[in-house]
Amino acid sequence: MVKLELREMDAGRVAVLRIENPPVNSVGSAVRVSLDEQLKAALSDASVKAVVLTGTARFFSGGADIREFNTPKAAVRPSLRELIAQIEAAEKPIVAAINGTALGGGLELTLGCHGRVADPTAKLGLPEVKLGVLPGAGGTQRLPRLIGLDAALEIIVGGEPVTAQQALEYGLVDDVDNDPVAKAIELALTIAQGVRAPRRVDHDPMDMPASAAAFDSARKNAERRYRGCIAPLEAIACVEKTLTTKLEEGLEFERDRFQYLVNGDQSKAQRHIFFAERKAAKLPSDEPADVKIRRVGVVGAGTMGGGIAMSLANAGLSVVLMEQSDAALERGWGTIVRNYETSQRRGRFTAEEVEERLARIQRSVDYADFADADLVIEAAFEDMAVKKEIFSRLDAVCRPDAILASNTSRLDIDEIAGVTSRPERVLGMHFFSPANVMRLLEVVKGAQTSNAVLAAVFGLATRIGKVPVLVGVCDGFVGNRMVSHYTREAYFLLEEGATPAQIDGALRRFGMAMGPLQMQDMAGLDISWAARKRQAPTRPAHLRYSKVADRICEMGRFGQKTGSGFYRYEPGSREPIPDPEVHALIEQCAAEAGIVRRDISDEEIVERTIFALVNEAAKIVQDGIAQRPSDIDVVYVAGYGFPMFRGGPMFYADTVGLEHVLNTIQRFHKEHGEFWTPAPLLEELVRSGRRFSDL
Ligand code: 3HC
């Protein structure tokens, strides 16, 4: 909890209070009670001249204990706000020694102190908006008063931590030192001796010209970055209060807005995703990795292969990027170079950082260059014969302990593994496009993939900043198996009376990053057309099939890359423009299928598409293709643009009520037939009064 240690210095005795609450020193009810006791002990001991507050290991504090939100423990006194008020009002100087990461309530604790010293490795931030809340222990009021509006808005609304050096430049900390506790003691004693004044936050309204432009631009950024999320906008409103109110009144306002957010569905959904991501990263077996991945081969320098190579190089791995011909290799390389140049222009990397990254990628047209790779990821054309040919060649040249992975988005990993002599070292690594940006990685476990291999790949995934989710073998794994039901309903709705813009608009208003038809246009319609042609011979003849997408492809409209698809595009623009030609084609398909078109509501669009996802997801959980429902939420939020503030399809279904979901699915089943056969797991949950989150 909180330990008190007395240090005898020449200038007097100092109490060092150390928060010890592994793993991240979160400040929950027990820590608050303990800190209160130790603080009172230190402040009432006449021999103590000053107090230093610090943490342990890598953490000062990871913030309030999120697990206690919405539980009785959150109401245990003193509250964090009361503790900070006590620190701020103390007669003796209290200085924070920020030994490591200080986030959320952890950083807010330091804002009540009379000085702050950070370790050079420390990270300081207020990430609350990412959890659907706002800094609720004074952060929105004290930070602007300490470092000014612009910097405070950036930290509070951006949610990203700053380094110790940046914090020093902002005036957030007074000093950066390799021994922050010693430096904090020194600073506290100079304040106690009156040599230096304590840095107390001014309680009056901020004396700044009201900068409407700063708030407008913060709101615009927030709306773009966190579309549909209310927390960032509430946080901005709190910061705005600093201009017109005294600290106490601002704190009350902040407390009220925090309570509103913490009790709302959005914050519950965002916290669910926070924990779901961490759960997804845990494998069922704790067998350790049996190979350390340092050098990775990538087969194919197309969009996926290039993006994969970049994410590996960004994380410091050595990469061999291979193509069949020099021409294809140079084309892929050119794209990588251009992507890095864009990142450099946008200030993400310096010229040196770009050079370092490019230098990590060795170009090759020879399989022999994979001889020393620890892992090879195949990102070639999506065709079983092509994959088999590549894997047998890889098996021949790679070390016996090397791991062989396919980036296939739907093909059978076991069939691919079958052409190698090492099926236990073969698996799927399904990246999402653009692979250097998207966080999701579906890790596909084949029938024989070993636990040690999974551990190695999960370790690598975390190193390269991906969110790995373990999935089993089936057509489309988790994400694409579900998405085919989602797009199927979108196509049916087109025939029944909706326009592409209406479907995409309804789903964007629901919160999806992009509507399904816009997404198809972006991904390229020819890819799914090829898959449909492959599946045509085995497609059950009695089931409804929409020809809309096929007919659009037959017109040579493959989406953005050909300037037209479900929409048309002006040259060089990605802005979808509704196209009467497509509307006429949809009407023609509907007439041929004998469908009488009708008015379709936004509500029906959302329920038909989103509940199709939920129903299939329930079958996926039942089939054991996903380990748990929350993994599906991670797949959809991190890989498919599902709104974070709805917590993913399973959490959303729990929120609207599984009974409502099942009733609606049963109604669709009656109206639209077999596709809507309710998942037995969903029926079972409703019967037993449980939710997906109970599994
Ligand atoms: N409360 C409760 N548990 C937390 C937590 C928190 N604030 N922060 C992390 N944890 C848990 C994680 O769930 C995980 O648990 P598990 O081992 O059971 O899965 C464990 O601590 C370790 O976390 P990570 O795996 O994420 O460890 P890392 O070292 O990779 O990252 C971290 C550490 C940067 C602190 C990261 O955990 C993080 O970003 N945490 C959340 C920080 C945050 O949002 N703080 C604000 C909280 S809200 C607040 O303070 C309200 C206030 O304004 C009133």
Side-chain angles (χ1 to χ4, degrees):
M1 291 295 108
V2 178
K3 300 255 171 71
L4 187 155
E5 178 202 333
L6 294 173
R7 296 258 185 113
E8 306 300 339
M9 312 302 293
D10 289 345
R13 181 178 276 180
V14 177
V16 177
L17 306 188
R18 201 177 290 276
I19 306 170
E20 280 188 17
N21 186 28
V24 304
N25 282 343
S26 64
V27 183
S29 51
V31 172
R32 292 201 304 273
V33 169
S34 175
L35 178 55
D36 186 43
E37 280 168 13
Q38 302 291 33
L39 201 54
K40 289 200 162 87
L43 293 175
S44 61
D45 180 343
S47 70
V48 169
K49 299 283 172 253
V51 180
V52 163
L53 180 60
T54 191
T56 37
R58 283 195 298 130
F59 296 98
F60 176 82
S61 165
D65 186 337
I66 314 163
R67 289 183 205 273
E68 291 189 355
F69 287 6
N70 309 115
T71 73
K73 287 189 175 167
V76 169
R77 309 253 326 249
S79 67
L80 199 48
R81 280 160 31 90
E82 288 166 337
L83 268 175
I84 295 168
Q86 197 185 142
I87 291 173
E88 190 172 50
E91 300 274 313
K92 295 177 190 175
I94 303 180
V95 174
I98 305 171
N99 56 300
T101 300
L103 297 177
L107 184 64
E108 288 172 299
L109 259 179
T110 74
L111 297 179
C113 292
H114 311 125
R116 283 154 292 277
V117 179
D119 185 272
T121 63
K123 295 253 165 59
L124 301 86
L126 294 173
E128 283 89 338
V129 293
K130 294 187 175 178
L131 297 172
V133 290
L134 49 78
T140 67
Q141 303 304 300
R142 289 195 181 88
L143 190 64
R145 284 177 161 89
L146 199 63
I147 66 171
L149 279 179
D150 291 338
L153 279 169
E154 197 176 311
I155 291 176
I156 293 168
V157 183
E160 294 299 328
V162 297
T163 61
Q165 193 51 43
Q166 287 166 316
L168 186 64
E169 284 156 23
Y170 282 143
L172 174 51
V173 297
D174 304 286
D175 217 333
V176 174
D177 197 279
N178 284 324
D179 189 345
V181 172
K183 197 77 188 172
I185 291 175
E186 196 183 307
L187 174 59
L189 284 171
T190 52
I191 298 173
Q193 289 161 337
V195 178
R196 214 168 137 166
R199 273 187 75 197
R200 288 181 199 275
V201 164
D202 188 349
H203 284 214
D204 286 331
M206 282 179 73
D207 186 16
M208 280 196 96
S211 159
F215 290 103
D216 280 354
S217 113
R219 284 196 176 89
K220 279 208 188 81
N221 279 342
E223 271 155 19
R224 202 179 45 239
R225 203 160 153 216
Y226 306 94
R227 209 163 53 83
C229 293
I230 50 179
L233 300 175
E234 291 288 352
I236 294 169
C238 289
V239 174
E240 220 165 3
K241 276 276 163 196
T242 57
L243 294 172
T244 51
T245 62
K246 286 194 162 232
L247 181 71
E248 284 65 30
E249 201 182 317
L251 290 175
E252 276 311 304
F253 183 79
E254 178 197 83
R255 188 178 103 98
D256 177 69
R257 301 330 290 157
F258 179 85
Q259 287 305 333
Y260 160 71
L261 291 172
V262 83
N263 291 319
D265 284 343
Q266 286 206 351
S267 137
K268 286 175 190 158
Q270 288 176 237
R271 281 178 273 145
H272 160 76
I273 284 295
F274 174 84
F275 289 116
E277 280 188 7
R278 280 151 185 83
K279 216 187 271 173
K282 292 190 171 60
L283 284 165
S285 143
D286 46 21
E287 199 177 322
D290 59 1
V291 59
K292 174 107 184 98
I293 299 174
R294 294 186 185 88
R295 186 162 166 81
V296 184
V298 178
V299 182
T303 312
M304 286 312 292
I308 294 169
M310 286 174 75
S311 28
L312 294 162
N314 289 346
L317 283 115
S318 129
V319 181
V320 191
L321 180 65
M322 200 206 77
E323 256 298 350
Q324 280 176 320
S325 66
D326 286 321
L329 186 62
E330 285 318 304
R331 251 195 324 273
W333 179 252
T335 308
I336 293 176
V337 171
R338 273 195 305 281
N339 284 340
Y340 274 128
E341 281 168 357
T342 308
S343 301
Q344 187 187 331
R345 253 197 324 276
R346 293 186 181 155
R348 221 188 121 210
F349 299 130
T350 63
E352 269 167 11
E353 284 167 339
V354 167
E355 277 309 307
E356 275 165 24
R357 281 159 177 76
L358 289 172
R360 289 186 193 124
I361 305 176
Q362 178 196 334
R363 282 168 280 173
S364 163
V365 285
D366 187 354
Y367 275 87
D369 288 329
F370 290 144
D372 56 352
D374 306 298
L375 161 73
V376 179
I377 304 170
E378 166 275 318
F381 190 63
E382 192 75 334
D383 177 275
M384 185 53 91
V386 171
K387 308 257 181 209
K388 282 183 171 172
E389 157 78 16
I390 292 173
F391 272 74
S392 36
R393 296 189 69 171
L394 289 175
D395 194 41
V397 297
C398 291
R399 283 195 331 251
D401 67 337
I403 299 171
L404 307 183
S406 172
N407 176 51
T408 178
S409 58
R410 28 176 90 243
L411 297 179
D412 185 344
I413 294 296
D414 292 327
E415 200 179 329
I416 297 172
V419 302
T420 71
S421 60
R422 59 179 99 191
E424 71 292 347
R425 304 195 76 74
V426 176
L427 80 171
M429 288 176 75
H430 180 206
F431 290 81
F432 290 73
S433 185
N436 53 318
V437 177
M438 297 295 286
R439 294 168 62 233
L440 178 64
L441 178 67
E442 281 186 328
V443 179
V444 193
K445 179 184 185 326
Q448 298 189 53
T449 313
S450 77
N451 289 328
V453 163
L454 290 178
V457 169
F458 264 56
L460 173 75
T462 314
R463 260 171 82 199
I464 64 175
K466 301 292 173 206
V467 183
V469 179
L470 187 65
V471 302
V473 175
C474 68
D475 189 351
F477 314 124
V478 168
N480 282 346
R481 175 168 155 184
M482 284 166 66
V483 98
S484 48
H485 295 258
Y486 174 76
T487 39
R488 178 200 70 221
E489 287 303 312
Y491 296 161
F492 286 174
L493 285 161
L494 285 178
E495 289 179 331
E496 288 168 39
T499 62
Q502 195 192 346
I503 293 178
D504 287 342
L507 284 158
R508 271 180 61 79
R509 284 188 287 282
F510 172 79
M512 298 297 292
M514 220 180 255
L517 304 167
Q518 205 184 341
M519 188 173 82
Q520 293 281 317
D521 268 3
M522 195 188 72
L525 299 182
D526 49 334
I527 316 255
S528 42
W529 191 30
R532 285 195 301 278
K533 283 194 215 160
R534 220 175 26 241
Q535 292 155 354
T538 53
R539 185 181 309 124
H542 68 286
L543 288 180
R544 178 177 167 189
Y545 178 75
S546 165
K547 293 195 178 131
V548 171
D550 293 352
R551 296 276 276 274
I552 289 180
C553 289
E554 283 162 18
M555 294 163 78
R557 304 175 67 121
F558 293 157
Q560 283 184 14
K561 61 185 168 193
T562 57
S564 66
F566 282 99
Y567 300 90
R568 64 179 186 84
Y569 300 86
E570 293 294 343
S573 158
R574 289 166 183 272
E575 185 64 35
I577 304 168
D579 189 343
E581 206 177 327
V582 171
H583 297 176
L585 180 110
I586 293 169
E587 282 169 23
Q588 194 186 334
C589 288
E592 285 169 18
I595 296 166
V596 179
R597 285 165 61 80
R598 59 191 166 91
D599 282 343
I600 310 259
S601 68
D602 278 13
E603 188 191 359
E604 179 174 353
I605 292 170
V606 169
E607 292 196 330
R608 289 271 296 276
T609 50
I610 302 294
F611 290 178
L613 287 177
V614 173
N615 201 36
E616 191 58 23
K619 293 177 188 170
I620 285 174
V621 173
Q622 194 159 17
D623 294 349
I625 295 295
Q627 286 194 88
R628 40 183 102 82
S630 63
D631 284 5
I632 290 176
D633 288 335
V634 173
V635 167
Y636 261 74
V637 171
Y640 290 82
F642 198 94
M644 176 170 71
F645 65 82
R646 295 198 193 269
M650 312 312 265
F651 189 86
Y652 174 67
D654 276 352
T655 311
V656 296
L658 291 194
E659 198 162 355
H660 167 70
V661 174
L662 180 61
N663 288 340
T664 312
I665 287 177
Q666 283 166 338
R667 178 162 55 81
F668 291 158
H669 190 205
K670 276 202 200 96
E671 289 167 10
H672 303 285
E674 199 172 316
F675 285 123
W676 284 98
T677 307
L681 176 65
L682 184 57
E683 293 177 315
E684 165 52 26
L685 289 175
V686 171
R687 246 194 318 274
S688 56
R690 289 181 302 157
R691 306 186 307 166
F692 286 120
S693 56
D694 295 322
L695 293 177

